[in-house]
Amino acid sequence: MPEHVIPPRSGRAFELAAGQVLSVIDPMGGQVADLLAISLADTREMISSGRTLDYAETIYLTTGHSLYSNRSNVMLDIIEDTVGRHDFLLTPCSEATFRLCYEDEPPHQGCHGNLHHALEPWGIDEDAIPVAFNCFMNVPVDGETGRFKVLPPLSKAGDYIRFRARMNLVIGLTACSAPASNGGSFKPIHYRIEEA
Amino acid sequence: MPEHVIPPRSGRAFELAAGQVLSVIDPMGGQVADLLAISLADTREMISSGRTLDYAETIYLTTGHSLYSNRSNVMLDIIEDTVGRHDFLLTPCSEATFRLCYEDEPPHQGCHGNLHHALEPWGIDEDAIPVAFNCFMNVPVDGETGRFKVLPPLSKAGDYIRFRARMNLVIGLTACSAPASNGGSFKPIHYRIEEA
């Protein structure tokens, strides 16, 4: 099983068949990977943060939780997780994020732009890109006030999260482009696909 | 300004012009209203929880916050709010929600189905319905564990939230169908549109 490399501030898309296992690996530690899942059979069926959180009854997902689609079907099961802290509240950073929140000149296209371009061969409309499951992203929420911070990931070098596909999927995956998400460092993300 | 009535467990859709003010009123107290906003000029531009939360840096929105689209444009400003607790994490309840979370037989089509049917005249695809801004929905989150509960709304009879439109919009609005959201009571929601 080759270990694929997603270079810093870039994204990839690939197909993942039902039963296959995807490992998303943080090779150096402290980096975020935005993950999208889309049904190969009908690309209008996509990962849904709102459905998934509703069924999980928690904003922090880990081993044993499933990621649901907008049609309430299970797309991915989380089968192993060495970190235990990921985000499923925020959208992939975009050119607008950089314009509004950072001083990047010119603004980077961000994970949103990287996902859009990577997913173009499957005909995914840019406006349809939903909230991603942001592997390793560390967003603690103050339960009293509701305010949250985007802190550096808790992941150490070699940490990973593994998902088993429950349907035939197109996966979009990035090495995050936003300074706040990865503590100001831009690092690669690795991934591996194992047969069922 | 007539006060429109949305009967219990139903939904409506209507246009709201830039500058107009929409008041969403809980006439009896303890009821939830799921709100969607879609750009009239291009219905692929829709309200986005992920963008909005990212820019607000809090999961609890109230007076002074704006609701953003998936293109990072402001759709609505919250200009008044007598409750101060609303949800922007969860998707509208659907037939699947009732199948998975409740014992309704047959399952109710929920706010999701109600919004879908109300928005059909504008050509909105059911799969495109995103996380709604759930007025008065009370979802406290435990910051340590991430676990949340859906508790009865804090709204009393006559409480309201007011939004000013920042672009020409189609609005979808419901009187919620899920027992947990409204403490097991099914009540109407009222709304009013004021000219700019």
Side-chain angles (χ1 to χ4, degrees):
Chain A
M1 303 164 296
E3 197 159 296
H4 303 280
V5 175
I6 304 178
R9 294 191 122 183
S10 72
R12 294 286 180 274
F14 49 87
E15 294 185 8
L16 187 73
Q20 285 185 323
V21 171
L22 169 67
S23 299
V24 178
I25 303 147
D26 184 354
M28 302 170 71
Q31 174 58 307
V32 165
D34 290 6
L35 181 147
L36 289 181
I38 299 159
S39 166
L40 191 61
D42 183 344
T43 57
R44 292 174 304 178
E45 182 168 12
M46 290 191 172
I47 192 171
S48 166
S49 64
R51 293 262 168 255
T52 301
L53 299 181
D54 205 1
Y55 300 142
E57 298 182 322
T58 176
I59 61 170
Y60 297 135
L61 304 180
T62 185
T63 309
H65 286 118
S66 298
L67 305 185
Y68 284 82
S69 75
N70 50 354
R71 296 182 189 171
S72 292
N73 296 313
V74 176
M75 305 191 99
L76 294 160
D77 293 325
I78 304 177
I79 58 171
E80 198 179 352
D81 176 13
T82 66
V83 178
R85 175 57 65 93
H86 315 279
D87 170 69
F88 208 7
L89 301 181
L90 306 180
T91 29
C93 57
S94 68
E95 196 178 304
T97 316
F98 284 95
R99 219 169 43 233
L100 292 166
C101 308
Y102 296 104
E103 307 264 310
D104 268 37
E105 288 295 346
H108 193 271
Q109 70 174 1
C111 288
H112 181 87
N114 287 331
L115 288 165
H116 170 223
H117 291 302
L119 290 166
E120 268 182 336
W122 288 271
I124 311 301
D125 187 70
E126 180 170 5
D127 287 314
I129 294 177
V131 172
F133 183 76
N134 302 307
C135 305
F136 317 127
M137 191 172 180
N138 181 17
V139 184
V141 176
D142 181 319
E144 293 301 313
T145 64
R147 293 190 65 80
F148 57 78
K149 291 181 179 162
V150 178
L151 297 183
L154 303 179
S155 47
K156 307 291 178 204
D159 271 334
Y160 58 86
I161 179 169
R162 295 173 76 225
F163 306 88
R164 189 186 307 276
R166 293 276 297 272
M167 61 171 76
N168 294 328
L169 295 170
V170 182
I171 298 288
L173 192 65
T174 70
C176 184
S177 310
S181 305
N182 49 44
S185 71
F186 301 117
K187 297 168 181 166
I189 284 290
H190 292 187
Y191 70 93
R192 206 165 45 215
I193 297 173
E194 296 161 57
E195 290 311 313
Chain B
M1 301 163 295
E3 196 159 296
H4 304 280
V5 175
I6 304 178
R9 293 191 124 183
S10 71
R12 294 286 180 272
F14 49 88
E15 295 184 8
L16 187 73
Q20 285 185 322
V21 171
L22 169 68
S23 299
V24 178
I25 303 148
D26 184 354
M28 302 171 70
Q31 175 59 308
V32 165
D34 290 6
L35 180 148
L36 289 182
I38 299 159
S39 166
L40 191 61
D42 183 345
T43 57
R44 293 174 302 178
E45 181 166 13
M46 291 192 171
I47 191 171
S48 166
S49 65
R51 292 262 168 257
T52 300
L53 298 181
D54 206 359
Y55 300 144
E57 298 182 322
T58 175
I59 60 170
Y60 297 135
L61 303 181
T62 185
T63 310
H65 286 117
S66 298
L67 304 184
Y68 284 83
S69 76
N70 51 355
R71 296 182 189 171
S72 292
N73 296 313
V74 176
M75 305 190 99
L76 293 161
D77 293 325
I78 304 177
I79 58 170
E80 198 179 351
D81 175 12
T82 66
V83 178
R85 175 58 64 95
H86 315 279
D87 170 68
F88 208 8
L89 301 181
L90 306 179
T91 29
C93 57
S94 67
E95 198 178 302
T97 315
F98 285 96
R99 220 169 42 235
L100 292 166
C101 308
Y102 296 104
E103 307 263 311
D104 268 36
E105 285 298 342
H108 193 272
Q109 69 174 3
C111 289
H112 181 88
N114 287 332
L115 287 165
H116 170 222
H117 291 302
L119 290 166
E120 269 182 333
W122 288 272
I124 311 301
D125 187 70
E126 180 170 4
D127 287 314
I129 292 176
V131 173
F133 183 75
N134 302 306
C135 306
F136 317 128
M137 189 171 182
N138 181 16
V139 184
V141 176
D142 182 318
E144 293 302 312
T145 65
R147 292 190 66 79
F148 58 78
K149 291 180 178 161
V150 178
L151 297 183
L154 303 179
S155 47
K156 307 293 178 205
D159 271 334
Y160 57 86
I161 179 169
R162 297 172 77 225
F163 306 88
R164 188 186 307 276
R166 293 276 296 272
M167 60 171 77
N168 293 327
L169 296 170
V170 182
I171 298 288
L173 192 65
T174 71
C176 185
S177 310
S181 305
N182 48 46
S185 71
F186 301 118
K187 297 168 182 166
I189 284 290
H190 291 186
Y191 69 94
R192 207 166 44 215
I193 296 173
E194 296 160 58
E195 292 308 315

